[in-house]
Amino acid sequence: MIKADWIAVDWGTTALRAWAMSTSGTLLAEAHSENGMGSLDPDAFEPALLDLISDWLPAGKTRVIACGMVGARQGWIEADYARTPCAPTASILTHAPTTDPRLDVRILPGVCQMSPADVMRGEETQIAGFQALNPDFDGVVVLPGSHTKWVHMSAREIVSFQTVMTGEMFAALSNHTVLRHSVTCDDWDASAFDNAVDESLSRPEKLAAKLFSLRAEGLLNGMTNATAKSRLSGLLIGAEIAACKPYWLGQPVALIGDKKLCALYARALKPQGVDAVMTDATTMTLAGLKAAHATLTE
Amino acid sequence: MIKADWIAVDWGTTALRAWAMSTSGTLLAEAHSENGMGSLDPDAFEPALLDLISDWLPAGKTRVIACGMVGARQGWIEADYARTPCAPTASILTHAPTTDPRLDVRILPGVCQMSPADVMRGEETQIAGFQALNPDFDGVVVLPGSHTKWVHMSAREIVSFQTVMTGEMFAALSNHTVLRHSVTCDDWDASAFDNAVDESLSRPEKLAAKLFSLRAEGLLNGMTNATAKSRLSGLLIGAEIAACKPYWLGQPVALIGDKKLCALYARALKPQGVDAVMTDATTMTLAGLKAAHATLTE
């Protein structure tokens, strides 16, 4: 039976992932469940965690380091934000209230920026992991997702960042507007995506006028759902890249996130002269949690 | 008991409205129900109509003139589109299949534009009504709604038009994204709306970066939900006006639609030097249906 020296946890809105770790940083076991923060009342967090990790717990106390929305106001316990400019690896962790004597749970803070107002929870840990593996990186880290983060890193600090809710807007338009008839499809049209990115980048003010045409082109001119879906994705990612130009222009760019989604961002950035580096998201998360654990035990 | 000489019907996706009319065009009675086209199977249209109007039907056949989504492919029967450039008053109506011998139901066509692809159903009848009441109007008619239409009218024809799904996007973002926590509110902040319109018009490429900040400003800086909602509305309407600049620039503009919504568009257009004329939507619909009826009986 595997016993952990400490346990790393990534606890987001929709999922819970845990890794049993040795003191030396070796990954011993992993487990996950769908007990995301979004579906749990405050007193349901400890049982949800024990469901996943109790077999890994030796006698005595085991430290659990958690990042993500678990530390939001609606989560287990609120872990305050670090304020930019700041290192992505936090120095002050928040103890979560537990009743099982084997648990010592500490939650990493998120990062906030006061002006323009912005927040992240979880991404800072992936950035800390990226920084641990690329200590000399100065540039921009992009974390595509429901709420994509564009993060300017310099001198080992998060200088500033910008959230763009492209993923959530894509989902809302695809599922909750008339476009749902036009974009439901598993296929993909890469050149339609490329053209739409280019249209949004060259004429960003036209975006509002281009969405309904995805429906009308299907009705009148037989545009396929694959093309409409790819165009919708390209229009929104293009608009995001247009809005975030001050971030990527002239900067080294690294991508952390879902492989397919990161590939779309890399493809969309390439014609702008940006060769974005792709990284593995889970590797970054784990490296960030290891860095936080190392800070605690130094 | 009121008996109709003919009956005017506006049958949209979510509502059904009917007016009992005299031959001379006098409004005798009106009725409405929530039996919109979106909730009806093809064989449910005749019963839904009879529910509302059977008391008005004299012996013999009564003509019913209907506009709107009732003529869509998913409606009662598909009424083909007229193609731009074309008059807003259609010459060819589509007979709907009925079993009650008292009914003679005719559905008005929508209008389509092949390039860029666009469609309307129902708005063309309001435009026809506006034209009947303002026969010399050359300019742009704007019909704000879930799918706002910008329509260039010249020489009594629809020259071109542009649909922008601002209303539906506002609803999707307000109800189906993280912004739902930030914009649920009955209050309004007019200056926040004005500033947001101005931001979108002056920097339309920044829109994508401004949506999540409505949430973050509430979390960090105490922005109220009234301000966030008004900003969201202003950002989206501002983006629409930016995208539709070729329509309104240097043109007389008339607004047809919900009074409150039209007032927002008028307010947003005013700093651009556009003094938009407000009109009553129901008056326009009824005038358009009367014009269609007159064409049939000429």
Side-chain angles (χ1 to χ4, degrees):
Chain A
M1 182 72 80
I2 287 161
K3 294 298 170 192
D5 293 325
W6 67 282
I7 294 171
V9 169
D10 177 17
W11 205 329
T13 303
T14 60
L16 164 57
R17 294 191 299 168
W19 297 270
M21 307 296 294
S22 77
T23 304
S24 66
T26 305
L27 173 58
L28 304 173
E30 52 185 304
H32 63 272
S33 79
E34 292 180 356
N35 281 321
M37 160 273 187
S39 61
L40 298 175
D41 288 323
D43 58 2
F45 283 86
E46 184 173 353
L49 181 62
L50 284 169
D51 269 357
L52 213 57
I53 68 164
S54 59
D55 285 351
W56 300 341
L57 296 174
K61 262 199 199 312
T62 299
R63 192 170 277 167
V64 177
I65 311 281
C67 69
M69 290 299 284
V70 65
R73 202 168 299 168
Q74 301 82 8
W76 191 344
I77 186 170
E78 186 169 7
D80 211 357
Y81 297 108
R83 284 194 189 190
T84 57
C86 61
T89 317
S91 47
I92 301 171
L93 282 70
T94 300
H95 275 267
T98 49
T99 54
D100 189 306
R102 297 171 298 171
L103 289 176
D104 171 16
V105 178
R106 309 208 186 177
I107 302 179
L108 287 162
V111 173
C112 74
Q113 173 179 278
M114 297 312 284
S115 179
D118 215 328
V119 292
M120 65 169 79
R121 274 199 193 278
E123 293 89 351
E124 75 296 329
T125 302
Q126 295 184 305
I127 295 167
F130 177 80
Q131 190 168 80
L133 299 170
N134 304 274
D136 297 327
F137 181 84
D138 258 61
V140 172
V141 180
V142 185
L143 303 101
S146 291
H147 298 164
T148 299
K149 309 289 179 186
W150 294 73
V151 186
H152 181 207
M153 301 294 303
S154 185
R156 302 184 64 78
E157 287 197 323
I158 296 176
V159 178
S160 65
F161 66 103
Q162 170 72 60
T163 302
V164 187
M165 44 193 286
T166 299
E168 207 173 20
M169 194 186 301
F170 181 84
L173 289 170
S174 299
N175 297 320
H176 300 288
T177 74
V178 71
L179 297 185
R180 68 188 179 279
H181 304 299
S182 304
V183 302
T184 307
C185 180
D186 288 329
D187 292 332
W188 185 253
D189 179 340
S191 72
F193 173 82
D194 292 342
N195 290 338
V197 169
D198 181 61
E199 289 173 37
S200 268
L201 271 159
S202 56
R203 302 290 300 277
E205 77 283 6
K206 289 290 179 193
L207 174 65
K210 293 197 170 178
L211 297 177
F212 185 76
S213 76
L214 300 174
R215 171 75 177 147
E217 286 287 353
L219 287 172
L220 299 183
N221 297 331
M223 181 185 280
T224 65
N225 280 20
T227 297
K229 183 179 76 169
S230 308
R231 270 188 65 77
L232 177 60
S233 175
L235 288 171
L236 296 179
I237 290 178
E240 174 176 352
I241 291 175
C244 293
K245 194 168 188 175
Y247 274 83
W248 54 260
L249 193 67
Q251 290 282 351
V253 173
L255 288 159
I256 305 176
D258 173 79
K259 277 194 169 46
K260 274 192 188 171
L261 188 58
C262 285
L264 289 183
Y265 276 76
R267 186 178 176 109
L269 283 164
K270 199 161 178 77
Q272 306 305 315
V274 177
D275 274 313
V277 176
M278 309 272 282
T279 70
D280 182 73
T282 302
T283 303
M284 296 307 138
T285 304
L286 210 42
L289 288 163
K290 276 191 211 178
H293 182 256
T295 309
L296 281 185
T297 51
E298 263 165 12
Chain B
M1 181 71 80
I2 287 162
K3 295 297 170 189
D5 293 324
W6 67 281
I7 294 170
V9 170
D10 177 16
W11 207 328
T13 302
T14 59
L16 163 58
R17 293 190 302 166
W19 297 271
M21 307 295 295
S22 78
T23 304
S24 64
T26 305
L27 174 59
L28 304 173
E30 51 184 304
H32 63 271
S33 80
E34 292 180 357
N35 281 320
M37 159 274 187
S39 60
L40 298 176
D41 289 323
D43 58 2
F45 283 86
E46 185 174 352
L49 181 62
L50 285 170
D51 269 356
L52 213 56
I53 68 163
S54 59
D55 285 350
W56 299 341
L57 296 174
K61 261 200 199 313
T62 299
R63 194 169 275 167
V64 178
I65 312 281
C67 69
M69 290 300 284
V70 64
R73 201 169 299 169
Q74 301 82 8
W76 193 344
I77 186 169
E78 187 169 6
D80 211 356
Y81 297 108
R83 284 195 188 189
T84 57
C86 61
T89 317
S91 48
I92 301 171
L93 281 71
T94 301
H95 275 268
T98 50
T99 54
D100 190 305
R102 297 171 297 172
L103 289 177
D104 171 16
V105 179
R106 309 205 186 180
I107 302 178
L108 287 163
V111 173
C112 74
Q113 173 178 278
M114 297 311 286
S115 178
D118 215 328
V119 291
M120 65 169 79
R121 273 200 193 278
E123 294 89 352
E124 77 294 329
T125 303
Q126 295 184 305
I127 295 166
F130 178 80
Q131 191 168 79
L133 299 169
N134 304 274
D136 298 325
F137 182 84
D138 259 60
V140 171
V141 181
V142 185
L143 303 103
S146 291
H147 298 164
T148 299
K149 309 288 180 186
W150 295 73
V151 185
H152 181 206
M153 301 295 303
S154 186
R156 302 184 63 77
E157 287 197 322
I158 297 176
V159 178
S160 65
F161 66 102
Q162 171 73 60
T163 303
V164 186
M165 45 193 286
T166 298
E168 208 173 19
M169 195 187 301
F170 181 83
L173 289 169
S174 297
N175 297 319
H176 300 288
T177 73
V178 71
L179 297 184
R180 67 188 180 279
H181 303 299
S182 304
V183 302
T184 306
C185 179
D186 288 329
D187 293 331
W188 186 253
D189 180 339
S191 72
F193 173 84
D194 293 342
N195 291 337
V197 169
D198 181 61
E199 288 172 38
S200 268
L201 271 160
S202 56
R203 303 289 299 277
E205 77 282 6
K206 288 291 178 193
L207 175 65
K210 292 195 171 179
L211 297 176
F212 185 77
S213 77
L214 300 174
R215 171 74 177 148
E217 286 287 353
L219 287 172
L220 298 183
N221 297 331
M223 180 184 282
T224 65
N225 279 19
T227 298
K229 183 178 76 169
S230 308
R231 270 188 64 77
L232 177 59
S233 175
L235 288 171
L236 295 180
I237 290 178
E240 174 177 352
I241 291 175
C244 294
K245 195 168 187 176
Y247 274 84
W248 54 260
L249 193 68
Q251 291 281 349
V253 173
L255 288 159
I256 305 176
D258 174 78
K259 277 195 169 43
K260 275 192 189 170
L261 188 58
C262 285
L264 288 183
Y265 276 77
R267 186 178 177 109
L269 284 164
K270 198 160 178 76
Q272 307 305 315
V274 176
D275 274 314
V277 177
M278 308 273 282
T279 69
D280 181 73
T282 302
T283 303
M284 297 306 139
T285 304
L286 209 43
L289 288 164
K290 277 190 211 177
H293 181 257
T295 309
L296 279 186
T297 53
E298 265 166 9

